[in-house]
Amino acid sequence: MAKLVIVESPAKARTIGGYLGKDYVVESSIGHIRDLPNNAADTPAKIKDKPWGRLAVDVDNGFEPYYVVPRDKKSHISKLKKLVKESDALYLATDEDREGEAIAWHLLDELKPPKGLPVHRMVFHEITKPAILAAVENPREINDDLVEAQEARRILDRLYGYEVSPVLWKKVMSGLSAGRVQSVATRLVVDRERERMKFRVASYWDLDATFDAGTGHDPRMFPARLHSVDDVRVARGSDFDNTGELKRGERVHLSRADAEALAAGLAETTYDVRSVESKPYRRSPYAPFRTTTLQQEASRKLGMSASVTMSVAQRLYENGFITYMRTDSTTLSDAAVGAARDQVRELYGAEYLPDAPRTYASKVKNAQEAHEAIRPAGETFRTPAQTGLSGEQFRLYELIWMRTVASQMKDATGNSVTIRLGGAAADGRDVVFSASGRTITFHGFLKAYVEDIDDASKRRDDAETRLPNLTEGAAVSAATLTPEGHETKPPARYTEATLIKELEDREIGRPSTYASIIGTILNRGYVYKKGTALVPAWLAFSVVRLLEEHFPRQVSYEFTASMEDVLDEIASGRRDRATELAEFYYGSTDVTGLKTLVTELGDIDAKEMATFPIGEPEDGINLRVGRYGPYVEGPGPDGGDAAPVRANVPDDLPPDELTVAKAKELLANPAGEEQVVGTHPDTGLQIVAKNGRFGPYVTEVLPDDAPKSAKPRTGSLFSSMSLDTVTLEQAVKLLDLPRIVGVDDDGTEITAQNGRYGPYLKKGTDSRSLTSEDQIFDITLDQAKAIYAQPKQRGRGAATPPLKELGNDPVSGQPVVVKSGRFGEYVTDGEYNATLRKDDTVESITLERAAELLAERRERGPAKKAAKGAKKAPAKKTAAKRTAAKKTATKKTAAKKTAAKKA
C-alpha cells in the first residue's frame, strides 16, 4: 500500500508527486473542502429552524460553526475517502499558515481515517526535492491554535457580513455586501476622495535659476531654486493645507507679479557662495520580499494587479521556482543567504559582497507563522535565464531573484551636497538660492535592484545630480532666472500598491488577504479603476455613510486593526476564541455588541443616506444614489416651485469632478429630455435624441394609435457624435442598424452593427470585430469576406468578447475569462470550460474561484466518467467532534475544544 499525501492544488500535487516517487500517492483537495453554508439551500435541515440557522453559527453555545461540504465537492471527497482506505499513512501537506492549517483539520475531520492509520501534518515553505523529502521525514502535529484563529476569523466575517449586509439591502440597495475588512478598505478609498473633494487649489510662484560657476568647474552650469527672501523661507507646496491656506505663517508667498518683479530686480545681481554642506550618502539594500512588498513592486514595475501577482506567484511556488508567497517574514535561511552571496560574487564580483551576511528583521507586528521571505527556491539560485520561464512568470521571478540577490550586497555610498547662494536685489532685499546634489561613488546593491516610488516628487535611490566643487565665498553668476508658477495638488488617489501599503501600515487585515479584499471591492462596484487609481463609486459613499453613522466601531480603522491583535493572541493560545467572539457579537459592559446594534437600529432615512449636496445649500443641487445609478437633482430652468430636474451622472465621472458647474451642465441636458432631430424621410416618424442611462441615443416617436406591441427603433450615438451635433442623416443611419453588408458565397447574410464591446460583423453565429465605428457604414462585402477569410482570433481579439477578464490560471498559466454560452455563463482558460454554479455571478466571480472551478473540471476528466461518479452519494454522517478528529494527528495534552459541528 502507498502513503497518501494531500495538498491543495493539482499543480502542487503533480510537482510533489514527481519528487516522492511510486511509494506515495499525491492528491489535491482543490482548495477548501468544507465551509459554512453559502445559502439556504445548503443549510442543513436540522438547523434551519434555529434562531441562528441562517448564520450556521450557534451563537448561543460557544459560537460553534456548522460546516457543509459543497455539492460540487462531494464526489471529490468520496474519491479522497477511497484513497485513504487504500493507504497505509496519511500526510496532510497543506500550506503552513492559518488557512492551510484549517484545511488540514477539515480534511482530517471529514475523511475520518481508520483507527490506527498514521496521520501526519507535513509542512514546507518551498517545493524542491530536498525540502519535500525533509518534510516527509519531519512531520508535526496539527496546530490547534492556528485552526482556532482561522475559525475565529471565519466566524467574525460571517457574523459581520450576515448581520450588516441586510441593513444595506434595506437602506441602500439590494444585493450589497458588508465585510469586516472590505468595508474598512472601502472607507479608506472614500475618505481619500472626500479629502480631494474638500481640496482647494493654492497657487504660488518662485524662481528657477541656472548658475554659472565659471571656467575650470565641471559641471560649469548647475540648477538652483529660490530658497528665502530676507531670511524668510519661500512657500512651497508642502506649506499649504488642503483648503489652500498657508499652514505656517513665516513664509514668503510669492504671486506671479512678485516673482516677475523679483526676477527683474535680480538682473544685475552678483552672487557668492554662502555655505557648502557636504555629508556622506549611504543607502542599505531593501529587505527581501514579503507578500505586500512583492505586490507593491509588481504593481509599480510590472503593472500587475495584486490578484494577478498572487496568481503568478502561486504558479511559480507550485512548480518549484520560489518559496511560499504568503508570508510576513523578511528572513532568509542560511542556505538561501549562501546562494545569494554566491551569485553576488559570481555576477558582480567580490567587491560587492559584504564581509558578513545581512540579516533582516520583520517590521510587521505579530508576523504570522515562521516562513521565509519570498525568494528563489532551492539551495542554489537559478538565474532568470536558467529557468526556462516566459511572460509574466519570467518577469515576476526575475523581480524576486534580483531583490533577493541585492539584499546580500554592499551599501550604496556617495555624497550629498547642499549649496546656498546669496545676493542682493535692486530694492535691497537679500535673496538666497539653494542647489542640492548627490553623487554615488559606489553603487553597491543599486547595481542589481532599485525600488520604484509612488510619489513622483521624490527621487529614486539611484538618482544623481552633480554640482561643481565650490567653496564658501566663491563668486558665481546667474545665467538664467525664470519665474515659475505652481499649483498645489490634491492628495493622490490610492492605487492597488498604495492601498496595500496603507492597510499594512494601519495593521488592518492580513497581508495574505489584501489581493482578495481589493478584488472584492472592485467586483462589488464600490470602487473602480481610472488608469491605476482606485476611484470610489457614489454607491460606496452611501454605504460608508451608513456604516459610519450606525456601526462606527465596526468600521473604525483602530478597531479593525485591534481585531488582528486578538486573532494573533488566539493563534498563540493566549486568548479564547469563544470569549472574543461573544464580546464582538453580544458586547460587554464597555462595548455595544453587533447584535444589539442591528436589533436596536432604529429608523434610518434611506433617502438621507443616499443624498449628497453639491456645492452650497443655495445652489439647491443634490446627488442621489438611485436604484439604477447616481443622478443629480436640481432646480429647473424656471426655478421657484417647479418640479426639480434630474440628470444621470456618467459612471466614469469621479466624485471629486462633480462640481456645481458640472452638475449644472448635466442638468442642462437631463436624462429623458428630448431634442428633435427631424422627420424620418421614409416612415414620416419624428426622430428625437435623448440622454439615457447607458449614454446618448436616437429613437423614433410612435404615434398615439400605434399598437401596444409596436416598439420604436433606437440607436446609440457613436463616440464621435453628441446630442448637440447629431444630424438627421446620421440618425437615420443609426436607426437602420444592423446594416446588411451583403451575402457571403455560402448564402449567409453578413451584417455590420455596434455592440457593448464595439463595432463588429456578424455572419450567422460567427462574429468578427471591426476597428472603428465608421466601418459599420463603409465596409464593403469584399472587405467583409476578407475579414472572414482570416483565422478567427482568440483572447482579446475574439469575435465574442469576454464578459470579464480575471487574470492567468495558476495551473495552465493561460488567461481566464468569463463568457456567455448556450447554457449560461462559464469560465475558460482556452483549454477547459467550467460552468458557473448557482451561487456564482459574473460580477462576483474571482480568479481564485474560477481557478477552483477549472481545477475541478480537469479533475473530473471525460464527461461520462464524471457523470458516473457523480451518482455516488456519500453516506450520511453525524456531527463530528473536533476533539475526536484531532486525537490521531495532534495528541494534544492541553484542554480540548468543544465539538465543531458539521452537517
Side-chain angles (χ1 to χ4, degrees):
M1 296 175 71
K3 299 177 177 65
L4 176 63
V5 179
I6 301 180
V7 297
E8 296 101 318
S9 77
K12 195 172 171 182
R14 284 194 296 272
T15 307
I16 293 174
Y19 294 145
L20 291 178
K22 60 183 177 60
D23 293 334
Y24 292 83
V25 173
V26 185
E27 185 56 69
S28 72
S29 66
I30 318 178
H32 281 274
I33 54 99
R34 207 168 66 168
D35 199 2
L36 300 173
N38 278 329
N39 50 49
D42 291 339
T43 302
K46 63 184 178 182
I47 69 169
K48 277 188 176 179
D49 59 345
K50 305 290 185 184
W52 42 265
R54 66 184 181 87
L55 299 173
V57 176
D58 188 349
V59 296
D60 298 326
N61 293 288
F63 293 85
E64 288 303 325
Y66 278 72
Y67 295 112
V68 297
V69 176
R71 284 168 288 178
D72 54 4
K73 285 287 181 75
K74 288 183 178 179
S75 62
H76 192 63
I77 288 294
S78 297
K79 175 183 176 181
L80 292 177
K81 285 184 175 181
K82 184 173 182 294
L83 290 172
V84 169
K85 291 178 181 178
E86 298 170 351
S87 304
D88 55 16
L90 173 62
Y91 288 82
L92 301 171
T94 50
D95 292 335
E96 192 187 8
D97 56 13
R98 295 174 190 173
E99 205 72 19
E101 207 73 15
I103 293 175
W105 179 81
H106 280 291
L107 283 165
L108 180 62
D109 192 43
E110 185 64 34
L111 298 178
K112 293 182 172 51
K115 189 175 182 180
L117 180 74
V119 179
H120 308 286
R121 177 76 172 102
M122 173 179 161
V123 293
F124 43 85
H125 64 270
E126 66 180 9
I127 303 177
T128 59
K129 189 169 185 177
I132 296 304
L133 295 179
V136 168
E137 294 299 320
N138 299 280
R140 63 167 173 79
E141 300 172 346
I142 287 180
N143 186 321
D144 287 355
D145 291 328
L146 293 184
V147 176
E148 288 277 82
Q150 188 278 338
E151 193 167 74
R153 176 187 295 278
R154 183 70 185 93
I155 295 171
L156 275 174
D157 292 343
R158 170 56 67 103
L159 296 176
Y160 191 111
Y162 273 49
E163 294 288 16
V164 180
S165 294
V167 178
L168 300 182
W169 303 342
K170 295 174 185 176
K171 299 302 179 182
V172 181
M173 188 182 295
S174 62
L176 298 179
S177 73
R180 187 177 59 85
V181 179
Q182 86 176 45
S183 295
V184 174
T186 303
R187 183 189 166 197
L188 277 171
V189 181
V190 169
D191 278 349
R192 178 58 54 88
E193 196 71 10
R194 286 168 172 167
E195 292 177 34
R196 291 175 64 89
M197 293 165 78
K198 292 177 182 176
F199 176 79
R200 296 295 177 266
V201 174
S203 63
Y204 60 96
W205 286 69
D206 59 16
L207 298 180
D208 279 351
T210 300
F211 283 91
D212 184 349
T215 57
H217 288 92
D218 182 27
R220 176 172 176 171
M221 300 292 185
F222 63 98
R225 176 171 286 185
L226 183 63
H227 177 266
S228 62
V229 178
D230 284 339
D231 293 328
V232 180
R233 283 280 307 272
V234 173
R236 296 272 183 269
S238 59
D239 295 319
F240 295 89
D241 60 24
N242 275 358
T243 66
E245 299 296 323
L246 277 171
K247 291 185 287 189
R248 306 174 182 86
E250 287 297 310
R251 289 290 184 269
V252 177
H253 185 186
L254 296 179
S255 65
R256 176 172 185 165
D258 295 334
E260 290 175 345
L262 184 59
L266 292 169
E268 304 299 326
T269 300
T270 57
Y271 301 85
D272 62 277
V273 176
R274 300 279 178 87
S275 66
V276 178
E277 181 183 357
S278 178
K279 54 185 179 182
Y281 167 78
R282 179 176 291 274
R283 182 68 174 88
S284 296
Y286 321 103
F289 281 131
R290 58 182 192 274
T291 301
T292 55
T293 52
L294 175 63
Q295 290 171 345
Q296 291 169 52
E297 274 292 84
S299 174
R300 299 178 189 122
K301 288 184 178 293
L302 308 180
M304 290 183 180
S305 67
S307 60
V308 169
T309 299
M310 296 309 290
S311 175
V312 176
Q314 176 92 28
R315 192 166 181 225
L316 288 172
Y317 165 65
E318 291 179 342
N319 287 287
F321 289 103
I322 64 171
T323 52
Y324 190 54
M325 67 285 161
R326 293 186 180 93
T327 175
D328 298 333
S329 176
T330 55
T331 61
L332 295 174
S333 67
D334 291 342
V337 169
R341 287 175 63 84
D342 287 345
Q343 291 210 323
V344 172
R345 188 182 297 106
E346 177 185 343
L347 298 173
Y348 298 97
E351 66 270 23
Y352 284 87
L353 190 69
D355 294 336
R358 290 186 179 274
T359 58
Y360 296 90
S362 177
K363 295 181 180 179
V364 180
K365 184 180 178 182
N366 296 322
Q368 187 184 146
E369 284 74 71
H371 296 138
E372 274 194 80
I374 304 170
R375 62 166 177 84
E379 296 185 359
T380 58
F381 293 166
R382 286 169 283 188
T383 65
Q386 293 170 335
T387 61
L389 295 168
S390 60
E392 290 178 325
Q393 291 185 63
F394 177 88
R395 293 191 296 149
L396 192 65
Y397 179 86
E398 183 181 46
L399 192 71
I400 294 166
W401 173 80
M402 288 191 300
R403 178 89 165 211
T404 307
V405 171
S407 74
Q408 292 301 316
M409 296 174 72
K410 282 186 176 179
D411 292 350
T413 57
N415 292 288
S416 295
V417 179
T418 301
I419 300 175
R420 296 278 195 266
L421 311 151
D427 59 6
R429 287 183 291 176
D430 184 64
V431 177
V432 174
F433 287 82
S434 178
S436 297
R438 181 169 70 196
T439 55
I440 298 175
T441 54
F442 178 71
H443 279 77
F445 75 96
L446 294 176
K447 279 280 188 184
Y449 189 88
V450 183
E451 189 172 83
D452 275 12
I453 53 177
D454 295 306
D455 188 347
S457 66
K458 295 181 179 178
R459 295 197 298 174
R460 281 169 45 114
D461 289 328
D462 62 344
E464 294 185 79
T465 303
R466 294 179 61 231
L467 294 178
N469 186 16
L470 296 172
T471 57
E472 193 170 323
V476 296
S477 60
T480 62
L481 285 174
T482 308
E484 290 287 344
H486 309 274
E487 288 187 343
T488 54
K489 295 181 180 179
R493 289 192 180 95
Y494 289 112
T495 61
E496 287 200 18
T498 56
L499 180 58
I500 287 169
K501 186 177 187 305
E502 185 73 16
L503 287 167
E504 186 175 41
D505 289 346
R506 290 177 179 268
E507 298 172 359
I508 293 170
R510 299 302 313 188
S512 60
T513 66
Y514 291 159
S516 63
I517 289 167
I518 291 174
T520 298
I521 64 177
L522 285 167
N523 292 335
R524 293 289 182 186
Y526 294 142
V527 173
Y528 64 92
K529 283 189 174 183
K530 189 173 184 180
T532 59
L534 298 174
V535 184
W538 281 106
L539 177 63
F541 279 75
S542 286
V543 169
V544 169
R545 173 188 277 180
L546 186 148
L547 294 175
E548 287 175 333
E549 293 185 11
H550 298 279
F551 300 91
R553 180 168 178 259
Q554 284 70 22
V555 81
S556 154
Y557 299 137
E558 295 74 21
F559 170 73
T560 308
S562 71
M563 287 307 300
E564 296 303 325
D565 293 336
V566 170
L567 292 169
D568 288 332
E569 293 279 295
I570 294 172
S572 61
R574 294 191 293 270
R575 290 209 193 191
D576 176 65
R577 174 183 69 95
T579 302
E580 299 304 325
L581 289 171
E583 179 172 333
F584 174 80
Y585 193 63
Y586 289 117
S588 63
T589 54
D590 302 320
V591 174
T592 303
L594 179 64
K595 178 69 173 175
T596 303
L597 289 174
V598 172
T599 54
E600 300 178 6
L601 202 55
D603 293 332
I604 297 178
D605 187 334
K607 186 175 182 180
E608 180 184 340
M609 288 294 113
T611 302
F612 301 89
I614 304 298
E616 300 301 326
E618 54 267 24
D619 293 314
I621 301 175
N622 290 300
L623 177 130
R624 300 193 193 281
V625 179
R627 181 179 179 184
Y628 300 108
Y631 62 92
V632 285
E633 186 176 75
D638 300 328
D641 297 328
V645 178
R646 293 179 177 179
N648 291 324
V649 175
D651 290 338
D652 60 351
L653 181 69
D656 76 327
E657 294 180 20
L658 184 58
T659 61
V660 173
K662 183 64 178 177
K664 288 181 177 178
E665 178 187 324
L666 294 171
L667 290 168
N669 192 9
E673 185 170 297
E674 300 176 355
Q675 293 188 23
V676 178
V677 178
T679 302
H680 197 291
D682 297 329
T683 65
L685 295 176
Q686 189 180 62
I687 300 176
V688 297
K690 292 184 176 184
N691 195 13
R693 179 188 172 202
F694 300 105
Y697 66 99
V698 291
T699 186
E700 297 172 318
V701 179
L702 297 178
D704 295 337
D705 58 354
K708 289 185 178 180
S709 59
K711 292 185 178 180
R713 292 182 297 170
T714 62
S716 295
L717 268 60
F718 287 180
S719 57
S720 58
M721 302 174 183
S722 70
L723 289 172
D724 296 331
T725 61
V726 64
T727 65
L728 177 61
E729 181 184 2
Q730 291 173 326
V732 169
K733 286 184 175 182
L734 292 172
L735 293 176
D736 286 342
L737 293 179
R739 168 181 163 249
I740 298 174
V741 178
V743 179
D744 202 359
D745 296 337
D746 61 3
T748 307
E749 187 177 79
I750 300 175
T751 59
Q753 49 208 301
N754 214 1
R756 181 180 178 186
Y757 297 98
Y760 65 99
L761 293 173
K762 187 171 185 181
K763 186 180 80 167
T765 58
D766 191 354
S767 300
R768 302 296 176 97
S769 297
L770 295 174
T771 56
S772 72
E773 291 171 323
D774 292 336
Q775 281 185 289
I776 294 174
F777 296 139
D778 301 338
I779 193 166
T780 65
L781 179 59
D782 288 340
Q783 291 171 332
K785 287 180 178 180
I787 291 175
Y788 275 103
Q790 300 297 319
K792 191 169 184 177
Q793 295 180 344
R794 299 179 65 185
R796 290 178 182 263
T800 305
L803 302 178
K804 189 176 184 181
E805 297 177 1
L806 301 173
N808 287 0
D809 182 73
V811 176
S812 69
Q814 298 302 312
V816 178
V817 297
V818 185
K819 287 192 170 185
S820 180
R822 182 180 177 188
F823 302 106
E825 287 83 12
Y826 65 96
V827 292
T828 178
D829 66 348
E831 298 175 19
Y832 287 89
N833 299 340
T835 304
L836 298 193
R837 301 293 189 265
K838 181 180 177 182
D839 302 324
D840 297 320
T841 64
V842 175
E843 293 74 24
S844 65
I845 191 80
T846 63
L847 177 62
E848 291 75 14
R849 174 60 175 157
E852 185 178 318
L853 292 173
L854 289 170
E856 216 175 287
R857 177 65 188 85
R858 295 187 192 96
E859 287 290 317
R860 289 205 309 267
K864 287 184 179 180
K865 183 177 179 181
K868 184 178 179 182
K871 292 179 182 177
K872 296 180 181 179
K876 197 171 183 178
K877 297 175 283 295
T878 56
K881 301 283 184 180
R882 172 177 294 174
T883 51
K886 285 181 179 171
K887 286 179 184 176
T888 307
T890 63
K891 301 176 183 175
K892 287 189 71 175
T893 56
K896 294 178 181 176
K897 300 175 186 175
T898 56
K901 305 291 195 302
K902 177 187 72 63

